[in-house]
Amino acid sequence: MKIMELPIEFELNGQKNYINPSLIIWKNELTLVDTGYPDFLPLIENEILKNGYEMKNLKNIIITHYDIDHIGSLYDFKEKYPLINIIASEVESKFISGEMKSERLVQAEEMIEDMPIQEIEFGKWFIQQLKKLKHVSIDEKVHDGDLILDNECRVVATPGHTSGHISLYFPSLKSVISGDAAVKENHELGIANPQFCLNVEEAEQSLRKIKDLKAENYYCYHGGIFTL
């Protein structure tokens, strides 16, 4: 088994940005963790192909949580690769499938009421982007402690950033894919975007939880690989 970082560079609001979806390679099968913003499918495909892998071997997509930069291209992947198996926590699956209004949209609508005038335009744009996201059914709903990918990967519930956020622990690789439960900043692990965490206390507990796994490599969606 191998985990590979897929660094994606893009421009947002006139600034260079980066995200780092992960690709898990196991027995010639590929599993993608998170799908970037809307219209990022070609960027992610190119990165996978550039590393010598074939899209026909993409079997699973794991979503760590409902946020536009993590699920933005999920619908496009499912449309293009309809046999793909989509995995998410039971909590997040309700938002991704449209069964419930997403926590992030509820938060954005509440925040805009108290935003400074100069930020309201961006707030409205962000709300529209969330509303435009297409719903996708989840094939496999997971919970804390579940073993997936032939028991090589353990699901770790890491709520705080969102209530159903999950991280992925690979004991044999001594590695964690953290989603937004951790960010690599200033050569250490911290909480990703605390101002947008739905519960900062829970986010701090979740960060401690994955640190306590004593992994050697933490694959952070924002910031890249943190190696102890």
Side-chain angles (χ1 to χ4, degrees):
M1 179 172 271
K2 181 178 170 186
I3 301 172
M4 179 176 289
E5 195 177 44
L6 301 174
I8 308 291
E9 182 184 316
F10 61 101
E11 215 171 86
L12 186 67
N13 295 331
Q15 291 185 320
K16 263 190 184 177
N17 277 269
Y18 301 86
I19 55 167
N20 299 279
S22 296
L23 188 69
I24 302 159
I25 302 101
W26 175 235
K27 294 181 176 176
N28 296 320
E29 290 188 357
L30 305 177
T31 296
L32 174 67
V33 184
D34 293 328
T35 64
Y37 283 95
D39 304 319
F40 272 34
L41 184 148
L43 298 176
I44 293 172
E45 275 184 333
N46 289 342
E47 201 61 34
I48 291 172
L49 295 170
K50 194 172 85 179
N51 282 285
Y53 298 102
E54 296 183 70
M55 294 307 297
K56 68 178 183 182
N57 294 325
L58 184 62
K59 303 298 181 190
N60 307 292
I61 291 178
I62 301 173
I63 297 295
T64 58
H65 66 293
Y66 184 106
D67 250 336
I68 195 166
D69 56 333
H70 293 256
I71 66 159
S73 292
L74 180 60
Y75 180 86
D76 294 344
F77 271 99
K78 189 65 173 179
E79 280 284 286
K80 189 167 183 180
Y81 307 104
L83 297 180
I84 215 157
N85 181 52
I86 299 177
I87 303 168
S89 74
E90 184 154 18
V91 174
E92 298 293 312
S93 69
K94 293 171 186 172
F95 310 131
I96 299 166
S97 68
E99 192 183 327
M100 285 178 68
K101 187 175 182 177
S102 83
E103 296 172 314
R104 192 61 76 210
L105 180 53
V106 171
Q107 182 194 42
E109 288 175 339
E110 287 174 354
M111 284 176 76
I112 201 166
E113 294 175 14
D114 300 314
M115 269 184 182
I117 290 170
Q118 65 271 24
E119 292 177 22
I120 284 179
E121 210 50 50
F122 175 79
K124 286 180 179 175
W125 173 84
F126 183 65
I127 287 169
Q128 284 311 307
Q129 296 308 302
L130 288 172
K131 285 182 173 177
K132 274 164 48 178
L133 286 174
K134 293 178 180 173
H135 299 131
V136 182
S137 295
I138 301 302
D139 302 302
E140 193 176 336
K141 298 170 186 177
V142 294
H143 306 86
D144 188 38
D146 285 356
L147 294 172
I148 57 174
L149 306 181
D150 290 342
N151 297 333
E152 291 289 325
C153 170
R154 193 173 95 214
V155 175
V156 182
T158 45
H161 191 77
T162 64
S163 63
H165 190 293
I166 56 171
S167 299
L168 307 169
Y169 175 47
F170 301 81
S172 65
L173 299 176
K174 297 181 178 175
S175 295
V176 170
I177 297 175
S178 71
D180 281 355
V183 63
K184 179 186 171 189
E185 273 182 334
N186 304 319
H187 307 294
E188 62 180 19
L189 292 177
I191 297 169
N193 294 318
Q195 70 273 28
F196 295 118
C197 284
L198 293 172
N199 188 318
V200 175
E201 272 184 33
E202 279 191 346
E204 288 169 348
Q205 289 167 8
S206 292
L207 181 61
R208 282 196 297 273
K209 186 177 182 180
I210 57 173
K211 279 182 172 180
D212 287 346
L213 294 170
K214 307 291 185 198
E216 291 176 3
N217 301 298
Y218 290 84
Y219 291 80
C220 301
Y221 199 73
H222 302 286
I225 303 171
F226 175 80
T227 302
L228 287 174

